[in-house]
Amino acid sequence: MKALNCALLLLLSSHHATLTTADLMVGEQVCMTGFIMDTFCINRGTLLDAPSVVSLKNPELHSYHCLLDVGVRRIDSGYQVLGSKDPVNGLYCQGLRVDDNDKLVAAGRAHGTTESQSGFFSCSTCSGPDGNPIAGYQATIIGTVKELGDGMGRTTGAPGTNSVEGTPILTDIQVLDSTVACDPSIMVTVEADAAGNECLIRSTHVDDGSTPTTTTAATTAAAAPETTTTTTEATTTTTTTTTTPAPPVEGEDCSSDFCETTLTDGYTLRYKINEADETITMEATYDGDAWLGIAFSLDDKMGGSDGILGSPGGIPQKYRLNQGFIDIMPSEKQTLTNASVETIDGKTVMTFTKPLVEPDQIPITPGVNKMLWANGGASTTIGYHGNNRSPFSLNLNFNGSSSTKPAPSFKVGDEICTTGFIMDTFCIDRGTLLDAPDVVTLKNPDLHSFHCMFDVDVCIASGYQVLGEKDPSTGEYCLGYRLEETDKVVAAGRAYGTTTSQSGFNSCTTCTGMDDNPIAGFLATVKGTIKELGDGSQSVSGQPILTNIQVLDASEECATPAPQTVCLAPPDGVSPAPGTPSAGEKAPTADCSSVTCETTLTDGYTLRYKLNNPDAPDGTVTMELTYDGDAWLGIAFSEDDKMGGSDGILGSPGGVPQKYRLFQGYIEIMPPDEQTLTDASVETIDGKTVMTFTKPLVEPNQIPVTAGVNNMLWANGGVSTTIGYHGNNRAPIQIDLASGAADAVSAPNMGAWLAHGICAFIAWGVLAPSAVNSAIYRSLFKAPLWFKLHQAMNASAYALTVTAFAIAVAFINKEGNPHFFSSHAKVGLSMFIIASVQVLWGCCSSTST
């Protein structure tokens, strides 16, 4: 193994490549988000506190302790923010060095947790909350380029001090949380080229609005704008072509027949508007065998765009594109039809039909639509496109377009006044009120408590809108206008709502209104200026946004009523569960793919769940665990009702649920590429801990979740919010996720454990006390009798203790559980040892006597 490691490091160290920095200038301000790594561990090749882990392969396993407690790296070696992972060799690119260690150390220590976790040393100098990470420090760094480095960077992560010197140095840095997005005008990324030979610094900002620049080793700052650069290394010649954005295609009538445009040499796009069902059909054809991609954009940039990508033999899927990475959209947004990717006569052909307007997605509209194309070149595996991409535009002419709703009767800058119910976005998206799950949000906003709107953080953070009028055809209120200034809405609501109690409602703890003011149903008049019109979708994001708002009493009349916005069909909300079975009962049969089902795991602990497209390859399950108290929560999928080998989802209040691999007696967090949960949170609401998440049904190397009976495990921390040993707060359960039926799983080997308890009780509850009493009251017995009773009862107690101990050891071993892990087991072991010593001592004393 040692020889293998040496060979690996030698191979990596011989694979030097150039880090291209010509895209940067000294004095330029830049911003980048990535893992933070110390130079010591980069040069070492493996992590100091985890020698089996290659530093640049798994920076997410780099502990805060190693990063921030150990002085040899913090003081002497310095830090850098890493770039993206190279898909060829699986190693992260070196990125940008920082010259102010103190700022980075202070920020890291403030973020890292002090709690312990299996497999990691705890950070003794950290001060972050318990739910924060113990390893894998990510941050957003803003700074000014001080030096460009010597250009000898590399993608391989091989040891060698010269390699780090190739990375640029930033000064005057700001260290921000990784959730803070970089301003696109100063954002840079560091990505490997398609061959994995060099890391390229890419700037997303260009002055002329064209595609983001990429500089290769052969490019200089003063290079002329040729479109082709050829680089020769050894015997390999690589040619990359940079394509300027195609001009908008003229507005042909593409609703009666297919229109066609050439994206680049050997890559064409045919498209047709289907006005009858308000969709667009597209067919991309590429001369070769490769993955293909088409995206809809707001600004010609990858970040924030909506893409359709597919590989030969597969089905195109919709992705959310970010700068440097992509996320597949959830199953409910996979709305493509007639979709396929095929190889025909040496050409890759991807076809699909897509709705023109969809919630939370970039709409396809008449006129100029900004778009992006990409392909894999010669690769059929979706990944980094290299230079095989470019923005372009399509000027779509809908002939008599019925596919777009009428233009609104208002515009940006208009003054609006409207009176209606105030509602938070969280409860709108949820479909039912958080504190009254049987009430449909848009049907009864008058029952929405001030407590839910203005005490609960998740509701406040989601933002608010003022609703329109009730739609008589659906019985639900129309969506109205979103309100930009959340603090003004909260201040007005709290000042108006009453603090008194009322049957059926939770009282508002932050309100200061008069006693006879309402406890629910916040009705107000709102005045403001239209800042944005929305994205045109029939959802919250499709509604206009008001800024510079005033929130007034509902009695304040508007001189001119506001134009009505879109009224929706009833949303796909959460329907009341068909039954709430206890852990030992089966629920009435229900379709848990159309309604949310519910199961009581144990007293005060419930699970609600819904299957999303269970028959599709990308089907998911949404789960919501609610616990009466403040504790960590856990749910797991098992093959045999045992903890060992199960896949668990665990979370603590205020944190984000994570996926863990469970073993007998310990757990390990799954690597970042397996952390696929979406819409995940753990919050404390009205004294209850609520953990929610959505998880794919089938994932590689994980136990599949089926639309049928699933072996599962539940656990919680009781009164502890720090993930750790659950004690008796756990049990197996079988749940049919398709019908809502649930069966408690009886604890195995109950007869053996009953015998264990009986033996222990007779030994220490009956015989041992009787032996002690026979000695205390020996004056009541004739001389030899008390001693014989004392001896016999002690011997019998010890015999039963040995029996109870043997049963416990044998059946814990049989069940695959760890020995002497719980407090009960440790006490039992101690009693067995003490009893054995006592008996031996007694035998020796009796012999000597």
Side-chain angles (χ1 to χ4, degrees), residues 822-844:
S822 65
S823 299
H824 176 88
K826 292 174 183 176
V827 170
L829 175 63
S830 300
M831 292 183 67
F832 175 73
I833 294 172
I834 292 170
S836 298
V837 171
Q838 177 69 16
V839 168
L840 290 173
W841 190 8
C843 290
C844 292

Side-chain angles (χ1 to χ4, degrees), residues 388-435:
N388 301 313
R389 88 285 181 259
S390 181
F392 70 104
S393 297
L394 288 183
N395 189 354
L396 299 176
N397 179 13
F398 297 7
N399 186 21
S401 177
S402 63
S403 60
T404 56
K405 60 184 181 182
S409 56
F410 45 78
K411 62 183 181 298
V412 172
D414 283 356
E415 299 293 328
I416 293 292
C417 177
T418 182
T419 301
F421 284 104
I422 304 297
M423 182 64 69
D424 60 271
T425 300
F426 179 84
C427 283
I428 294 175
D429 290 339
R430 174 185 165 89
T432 62
L433 300 180
L434 180 62
D435 59 346

